[in-house]
């Protein structure tokens, strides 16, 4: 009996010593600093955003198809019925949730790059506006952060102005993803949706349109400032029909977030990209950024590069129900001049050299 008691006492003493050593080792490990925690939160904020835009629609569609062949088949059937009933909502004002603009996650998203909004002129709440957002980049980070989230203070810089952002109409045909987009204040880039925002919601509305679209994303790479704009005149016609002022904006640094494999014009890969763009509305880009574990690894997350979105001087536009081609060309030319002025006056302030030029195709 004494032998058993002695053995137990020895084991207990050994256990206590092991626990004490483990505690000493744990306490010796340095705790993450506030900066480390902030960096991790910023990375997670960007990760959820990228995954949402790249995968949410496709994954939701596949999940609903799978559920059709299970005992939960009623869920996708009811949701499909809801989509049919709710089909026109994205083009009739959507279902924006203002509280989403104030989510803390968007502040971490902003600080990852960081993103900054610069105002050069006032926008009067007595008018409506179409803001041309340039360049497209790969994922339109600057446009999303400034015109959808409240993290950069758009409504504080432009009191009385409510900003909206348009995106591909095809995105609103994807289940669940359409609800996500509408809740954030995104709308289809269609005449009907833009017309509703400019005519049915009073004044003080600013509709941001990434004018270059998918075609422009194919030429996106660091050090290149090429815009697809010369033959994009639909936004000017919409502005004239509704008397909405035209406002140029440029996001310096947008093209530095990813590295893209750019195929030369005339190559078979470029031809495939063009055909896919015409059929689906967006272009399949071969791009990469940083990985999840470190800045040196490759992955699908954007590099942490500063983005500064400068909003320029509005171009006053009259209201003309049926504008002529000559009138559209005139205001299109005025808009391009305002954009070039904005670019040239600010390029050296935000990372470009005096010799850099804005190429408009």
């Amino acid at each position: 009996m004494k032998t058993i008691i002695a053995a137990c006492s020895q084991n207990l003493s050994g256990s206590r010593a092991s626990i004490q050593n483990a505690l000493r080792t744990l306490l010796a490990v340095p705790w993450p600093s506030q900066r480390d925690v902030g960096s991790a939160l910023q990375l997670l904020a960007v990760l959820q955003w990228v995954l949402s835009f790249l995968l949410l629609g496709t994954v939701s569609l596949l999940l609903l198809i799978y559920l059709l062949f299970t005992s939960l088949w009623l869920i996708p059937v009811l949701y499909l019925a809801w989509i049919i009933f709710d089909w026109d909502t994205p083009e009739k004002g959507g279902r924006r949730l203002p509280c989403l603009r104030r989510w803390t996650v968007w502040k971490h998203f902003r600080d990852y790059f960081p993103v900054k909004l610069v105002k050069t002129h006032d926008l009067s709440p007595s008018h409506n506006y179409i803001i041309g957002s340039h360049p497209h980049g790969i994922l339109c980070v600057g446009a999303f952060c400034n015109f959808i989230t409240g993290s950069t203070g758009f409504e504080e810089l432009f009191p009385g102005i409510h900003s909206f952002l348009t995106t591909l109409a095809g995105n609103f045909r994807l289940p669940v993803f359409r609800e996500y987009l509408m809740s954030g204040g995104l709308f289809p880039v269609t005449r009907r949706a833009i017309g509703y925002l400019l005519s049915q919601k009073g004044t003080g509305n600013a509709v941001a349109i990434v004018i270059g679209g998918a075609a422009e994303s194919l030429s996106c790479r660091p050090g290149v400032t090429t815009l697809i704009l010369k033959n994009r005149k639909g936004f000017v016609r919409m502005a004239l029909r509704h008397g909405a002022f035209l406002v140029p904006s440029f996001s310096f640094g947008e093209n530095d977030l990813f590295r893209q494999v750019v195929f030369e014009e005339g190559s078979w890969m470029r031809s495939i990209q063009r055909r896919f763009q015409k059929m689906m509305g967006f272009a399949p880009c071969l791009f990469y950024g940083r990985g999840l574990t470190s800045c040196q690894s490759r992955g699908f997350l954007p590099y942490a590069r500063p983005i500064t979105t400068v909003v320029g001087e509005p171009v006053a536009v009259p209201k003309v129900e049926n504008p002529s081609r000559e009138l559209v060309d005139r205001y299109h030319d005025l808009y391009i001049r305002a954009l070039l002025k904005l670019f040239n006056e600010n390029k050296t302030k935000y990372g470009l050299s005096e010799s850099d030029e804005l190429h408009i195709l």
Side-chain angles (χ1 to χ4, degrees):
M1 178 63 72
K2 291 181 179 179
T3 303
I4 295 174
I5 294 173
C8 290
S9 299
Q10 187 175 2
N11 288 337
L12 288 172
S13 298
S15 299
R16 283 196 294 271
S18 298
I19 293 173
Q20 289 173 353
N21 288 333
L23 288 173
R24 290 194 191 98
T25 303
L26 181 63
L27 293 173
V29 175
W31 289 88
S33 65
Q34 187 174 0
R35 181 179 179 180
D36 293 334
V37 173
S39 297
L41 291 174
Q42 292 168 15
L43 192 63
L44 289 174
V46 173
L47 176 63
Q48 66 82 26
W49 181 79
V50 171
L51 290 178
S52 296
F53 271 84
L54 294 182
L55 298 178
L56 181 58
T58 303
V59 171
S60 299
L61 179 61
L62 294 176
L63 178 60
L64 289 175
I65 293 174
Y66 168 76
L67 291 176
L68 277 173
F69 301 95
T70 69
S71 58
L72 301 175
W73 60 269
L74 189 59
I75 294 176
V77 169
L78 290 175
Y79 184 69
L80 178 60
W82 162 253
I83 288 182
I84 294 173
F85 173 78
D86 194 56
W87 189 259
D88 291 335
T89 298
E91 294 187 323
K92 293 183 177 180
R95 278 190 301 274
R96 184 176 189 172
L97 299 178
C99 61
L100 296 187
R101 291 174 63 88
R102 298 189 293 271
W103 273 8
T104 304
V105 68
W106 301 130
K107 295 181 180 179
H108 296 306
F109 180 87
R110 171 200 66 195
D111 294 339
Y112 170 84
F113 298 96
V115 182
K116 182 182 178 183
L117 180 64
V118 175
K119 165 184 157 182
T120 61
H121 292 79
D122 291 330
L123 299 181
S124 171
S126 61
H127 299 289
N128 284 327
Y129 302 89
I130 290 180
I131 300 178
S133 180
H134 310 276
H136 183 284
I138 297 293
L139 293 178
C140 304
V141 172
F144 177 86
C145 192
N146 288 299
F147 303 129
I148 290 298
T149 79
S151 60
T152 56
F154 182 92
E155 293 186 353
E156 288 74 26
L157 285 174
F158 301 99
I161 305 297
H162 306 288
S163 61
F164 306 91
L165 180 62
T166 58
T167 185
L168 288 173
N171 290 330
F172 294 88
R173 300 187 183 100
L174 294 172
V176 181
F177 191 44
R178 69 191 294 272
E179 321 300 340
Y180 175 80
L181 294 176
M182 283 194 290
S183 66
L186 285 102
F187 295 85
V189 60
T190 62
R191 292 180 182 179
R192 187 180 179 189
I194 297 171
Y196 185 94
L197 294 172
L198 296 176
S199 63
Q200 302 297 320
K201 297 179 72 68
T203 59
N205 302 299
V207 182
I209 303 175
V210 186
I211 298 168
E216 193 171 277
S217 66
L218 294 177
S219 302
C220 166
R221 60 184 184 271
V224 176
T225 48
T226 300
L227 304 183
I228 306 297
L229 180 58
K230 192 169 290 185
N231 295 317
R232 299 290 175 98
K233 301 178 181 180
F235 72 103
V236 178
R237 187 172 287 104
M238 287 295 297
L240 285 164
R241 286 177 177 172
H242 297 280
F245 288 14
L246 292 168
V247 183
S249 73
F250 195 93
S251 293
F252 294 91
E254 182 74 46
N255 285 349
D256 299 330
L257 304 183
F258 294 95
R259 301 291 183 268
Q260 182 181 183
V261 180
V262 178
F263 300 101
E264 297 298 327
E265 289 291 345
S267 64
W268 65 274
M269 280 298 298
R270 188 71 160 195
S271 177
I272 291 176
Q273 287 178 315
R274 293 290 189 194
R275 290 178 183 177
F276 195 93
Q277 175 200 331
K278 290 180 180 179
M279 290 188 297
M280 304 300 294
F282 66 94
C285 301
L286 297 180
F287 66 90
Y288 66 89
R290 59 157 291 178
L292 187 60
T293 56
S294 71
C295 298
Q296 286 70 36
S297 61
R298 289 188 179 184
F300 56 89
L301 295 179
Y303 291 107
R305 303 284 188 268
I307 302 172
T308 303
T309 300
V310 184
V311 180
E313 182 179 4
V315 177
V317 175
K319 185 175 182 179
V320 181
E321 188 67 29
N322 294 302
S324 64
R325 179 179 298 181
E326 291 75 18
L327 190 63
V328 171
D329 289 343
R330 175 188 171 191
Y331 280 94
H332 185 263
D333 185 59
L334 289 174
Y335 175 82
I336 290 179
R337 291 182 188 179
L339 176 62
L340 288 171
K341 178 184 177 184
L342 173 71
F343 178 82
N344 290 324
E345 288 181 350
N346 292 276
K347 60 184 179 181
T348 57
K349 300 177 185 177
Y350 304 114
L352 299 179
S353 66
E354 188 64 42
S355 60
D356 285 322
E357 296 181 354
L358 187 62
H359 303 283
I360 296 178
L361 301 178

